């Protein structure tokens, strides 16, 4: 299912800012997200991808290399790529759809400091159904009230810039896109916030799927209550997300310290 990106000769970028403490921290944070996503079953073989803009740069992003599972990703194994498909730091190449989706999305949406694309099972299952994927019927789902979009036009694999641009356009101002018949994309202003949304999106989708499996009708939360609850949640989301990421790094430091390599 995965495809290697066909690239021209790599650009050699010798710049000490790629070895800065901020870049190292971004590598560690993103690697932690890969490892925990693997533990929670949010990955799919070697096909899914998480990316983050390189701190201090608006033209370079970190992404996982083609051929490596989420459980194998380490801080140093992440690639630094430019928007033209060149690997400017790291060994290997990105998966083709990872480049065409993430490069175009980061370029078209500067607010997307992090972009997480997965085929995580429960959210992907909802993307395969007719109608709105997420129903405002559970408290966890209300974290995403007014923040989602649906890309209804599944168009096969994203193997060119045009498809990447189409997906970026479908996102609009949303933070979460349900990619019909495909999976989900979550973007955030930080790695921690993208991780927090990815995690809770799958939890919300799982709860909805379990409720739907009973065959009984879902009972949505009234609109005014949904909006108020969303506002309550969002007021503390940034700090909560930071602490959430710190918690998974503590867990991994004890149980999978190799992610720091």
């Amino acid at each position: 299912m995965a495809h290697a990106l066909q690239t021209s000769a790599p650009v050699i970028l010798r710049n000490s800012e790629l070895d800065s403490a901020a870049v190292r921290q971004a590598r560690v944070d993103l690697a932690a997200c890969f490892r925990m996503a693997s533990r929670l079953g949010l990955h799919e073989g070697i096909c899914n991808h998480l990316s983050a803009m390189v701190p201090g740069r608006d033209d370079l992003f970190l992404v996982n290399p083609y051929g490596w599972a989420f459980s194998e990703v380490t801080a140093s194994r992440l690639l630094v790529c430019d928007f033209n498909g060149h690997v400017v730091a790291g060994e290997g190449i990105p998966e083709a759809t990872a480049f065409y989706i993430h490069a175009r999305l980061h370029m078209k949406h500067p607010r997307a400091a992090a972009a997480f694309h997965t085929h995580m099972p429960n959210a992907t299952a909802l993307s395969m159904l007719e109608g709105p994927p997420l129903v405002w019927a559970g408290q966890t789902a209300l974290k995403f009230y007014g923040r989602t979009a649906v890309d209804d036009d599944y168009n096969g694999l994203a193997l060119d810039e045009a498809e990447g641009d189409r997906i970026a356009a479908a996102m609009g101002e949303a933070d979460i896109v349900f990619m019909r018949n495909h999976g989900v994309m979550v973007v955030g202003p930080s790695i921690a916030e993208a991780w927090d949304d990815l995690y809770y999106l799958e939890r919300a989708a799982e709860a909805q799927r379990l409720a739907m499996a009973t065959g009984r009708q879902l009972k949505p939360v009234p609109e005014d209550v949904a909006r108020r609850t969303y506002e309550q949640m969002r007021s503390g989301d940034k700090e909560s997300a930071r602490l959430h990421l710190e918690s998974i790094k503590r867990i991994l430091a004890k149980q999978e310290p190799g992610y720091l390599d």
Side-chain angles (χ1 to χ4, degrees):
M1 292 175 65
H3 292 66
L5 178 67
Q6 302 301 312
T7 67
S8 56
V11 171
I12 298 176
L13 182 68
R14 300 189 184 281
N15 194 320
S16 61
E17 70 186 41
L18 293 184
D19 298 318
S20 70
V23 175
R24 169 62 184 172
Q25 189 61 61
R27 285 180 172 277
V28 168
D29 289 351
L30 191 57
C33 293
F34 278 105
R35 291 297 185 99
M36 190 55 72
S38 174
R39 284 181 164 223
L40 298 174
L42 309 185
H43 62 309
E44 186 170 72
I46 59 170
C47 297
N48 295 174
H49 11 91
L50 315 180
S51 66
M53 293 297 293
V54 171
R57 299 293 297 252
D58 61 5
D59 58 340
L60 300 175
F61 64 100
L62 290 160
V63 70
N64 46 314
Y66 174 60
W68 296 86
F70 277 22
S71 60
E72 299 178 295
V73 171
T74 66
S76 63
R77 188 163 284 157
L78 293 166
L79 305 176
V80 175
C81 297
D82 67 16
F83 292 152
N84 295 313
H86 299 122
V87 175
V88 300
E91 296 182 9
I93 55 175
E95 197 270 332
T97 62
F99 170 72
Y100 287 116
I101 293 174
H102 290 251
R104 307 306 288 183
L105 192 148
H106 285 302
M107 186 167 64
K108 300 285 186 179
H109 295 287
R111 64 188 175 84
F116 291 5
H117 170 59
T118 75
H119 302 166
M120 52 191 188
N122 293 289
T124 299
L126 297 188
S127 81
M128 298 161 59
L129 302 175
E130 292 283 355
L134 200 59
V135 178
W136 315 121
Q139 177 170 288
T140 303
L142 300 182
K143 174 178 169 67
F144 306 104
Y145 182 83
R147 301 175 60 207
T148 66
V150 179
D151 176 12
D152 273 316
D153 301 317
Y154 178 69
N155 199 34
L157 300 184
L159 295 175
D160 55 42
E161 290 183 351
E163 183 62 8
D165 286 343
R166 190 195 65 76
I167 293 170
M171 170 160 282
E173 297 303 312
D175 297 325
I176 294 92
V177 177
F178 284 90
M179 304 163 78
R180 193 71 80 186
N181 311 111
H182 183 176
V184 295
M185 173 65 78
V186 174
V187 303
S190 68
I191 292 171
E193 288 167 273
W195 165 256
D196 198 59
D197 278 348
L198 187 80
Y199 172 84
Y200 284 110
L201 180 64
E202 180 67 353
R203 295 288 291 178
E206 180 181 24
Q208 181 175 316
R209 181 184 61 79
L210 290 170
M212 292 168 64
T214 67
R216 298 171 62 183
Q217 187 172 351
L218 293 174
K219 180 178 174 56
V221 174
E223 289 284 334
D224 60 330
V225 177
R227 186 178 301 106
R228 185 171 71 251
T229 306
Y230 153 78
E231 291 169 353
Q232 291 172 329
M233 289 181 170
R234 290 294 280 169
S235 68
D237 250 5
K238 184 174 181 178
E239 178 64 4
S240 179
R242 184 188 70 80
L243 293 173
H244 187 183
L245 182 56
E246 290 301 313
S247 76
I248 72 169
K249 288 190 290 184
R250 287 194 299 271
I251 292 168
L252 291 170
K254 292 178 181 177
Q255 299 177 8
E256 292 186 48
Y259 90 96
L260 292 165
D261 294 346

